[in-house]
């Protein structure tokens, strides 16, 4: 089993920046493709960004492309999401997720590809 703990959420003004972190424990971190998802009140959980096991490949939702950067440090068992130029519509609870992957370079944009989830961290962007 993999335990995931997100930190770094908070309140920020429009145009500001935040960096979310996700600390993983329990299994070999580098065996898992990782992703970030978010869920706003009354909405479905949606894909934000994903990174392959090796960290070499990334995938982004169109809504965050060019503003968010996902990265991982396999030596430190951590996943990060750098968020710039934040907008009010980015307000949501953000979740990191881990999915066992047989391939070093694959990224996954669907919730069903991830087995383990963190508890979430709230990001609020004020207008």
């Amino acid at each position: 089993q993999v335990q995931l703990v997100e930190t770094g959420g908070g309140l920020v003004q429009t145009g500001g920046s935040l960096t979310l972190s996700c600390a993983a424990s329990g299994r070999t971190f580098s065996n898992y493709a990782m992703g970030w998802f978010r869920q706003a009140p009354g909405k479905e959980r949606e894909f934000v960004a994903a990174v392959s096991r090796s960290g070499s490949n990334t995938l982004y939702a169109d809504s965050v492309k060019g503003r968010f950067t996902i990265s991982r440090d396999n030596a430190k068992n951590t996943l990060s999401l750098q968020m710039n130029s934040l907008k009010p519509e980015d307000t949501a609870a953000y979740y990191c997720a881990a999915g066992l992957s047989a391939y070093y370079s694959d990224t996954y944009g669907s919730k069903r590809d991830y087995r383990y989830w963190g508890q979430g961290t709230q990001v609020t962007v004020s207008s």
Side-chain angles (χ1 to χ4, degrees):
Q1 191 165 353
V2 177
Q3 292 79 42
L4 303 170
V5 178
E6 304 96 334
T7 56
L11 175 64
V12 64
Q13 291 185 333
T14 296
S17 298
L18 277 176
T19 300
L20 304 184
S21 296
C22 175
S25 61
R27 292 288 176 93
T28 304
F29 183 64
S30 59
N31 286 344
Y32 292 83
M34 300 296 295
W36 286 99
F37 290 75
R38 67 187 181 186
Q39 187 168 17
K43 294 189 176 182
E44 294 286 323
R45 189 170 298 189
E46 66 175 7
F47 170 73
V48 174
V51 63
S52 61
R53 285 176 56 186
S54 64
S56 60
N57 288 350
T58 58
L59 179 69
Y60 295 94
D62 287 345
S63 59
V64 307
K65 203 171 293 183
R67 299 188 298 122
F68 290 11
T69 302
I70 188 172
S71 61
R72 66 188 296 164
D73 186 334
N74 285 343
K76 296 182 178 179
N77 292 354
T78 58
L79 175 73
S80 297
L81 184 69
Q82 173 67 44
M83 304 185 295
N84 298 326
S85 302
L86 283 162
K87 306 175 182 180
E89 51 264 44
D90 294 318
T91 295
Y94 283 72
Y95 300 87
C96 70
L100 194 62
S101 175
Y103 306 102
Y104 281 102
S105 301
D106 282 5
T107 56
Y108 304 97
S110 172
K111 293 190 295 288
R112 65 177 179 267
D113 292 313
Y114 296 90
R115 180 173 182 179
Y116 301 105
W117 296 82
Q119 83 290 345
T121 186
Q122 179 67 36
V123 172
T124 302
V125 184
S126 63
S127 56

